[in-house]
Amino acid sequence: NVQEVTLKKRLNGLGFSFFITELDTSLDSGSIVRIRTLFPGQPAEESGKIREGDVILSINGEPLKGLSYQ
């Protein structure tokens, strides 16, 4: 399931941390971005639409697949 979520950034951010993991299956490969932690009382957690472990496919219409931390 793919869901579009809009978060409004606050002075201290969106309220989540992420990690990049390698995807290596017979159907696909590359890196993907996953939610590591949701911080209580922050926009990501308050939305109720994001959970730890979710994959972030794009931000502002820009795909994240295959990107590095840099």
Side-chain angles (χ1 to χ4, degrees):
N1 294 340
V2 176
Q3 180 178 4
E4 183 173 323
V5 177
T6 301
L7 300 175
K8 191 161 249 186
K9 187 176 179 181
R10 295 185 187 157
L11 291 176
N12 53 356
L14 294 169
F16 66 87
S17 65
F18 66 92
F19 66 100
I20 295 177
T21 185
E22 292 299 315
L23 178 64
D24 190 12
T25 68
S26 60
L27 301 174
D28 209 352
S29 64
S31 60
I32 57 172
V33 179
R34 288 190 179 272
I35 300 290
R36 179 182 302 273
T37 306
L38 296 176
F39 302 115
Q42 298 297 315
E45 189 261 344
E46 288 177 346
S47 77
K49 297 179 179 180
I50 299 173
R51 291 186 290 205
E52 293 172 357
D54 283 355
V55 174
I56 303 174
L57 299 174
S58 67
I59 295 177
N60 295 330
E62 295 294 321
L64 299 184
K65 186 176 177 216
L67 292 181
S68 66
Y69 275 104
Q70 290 77 14

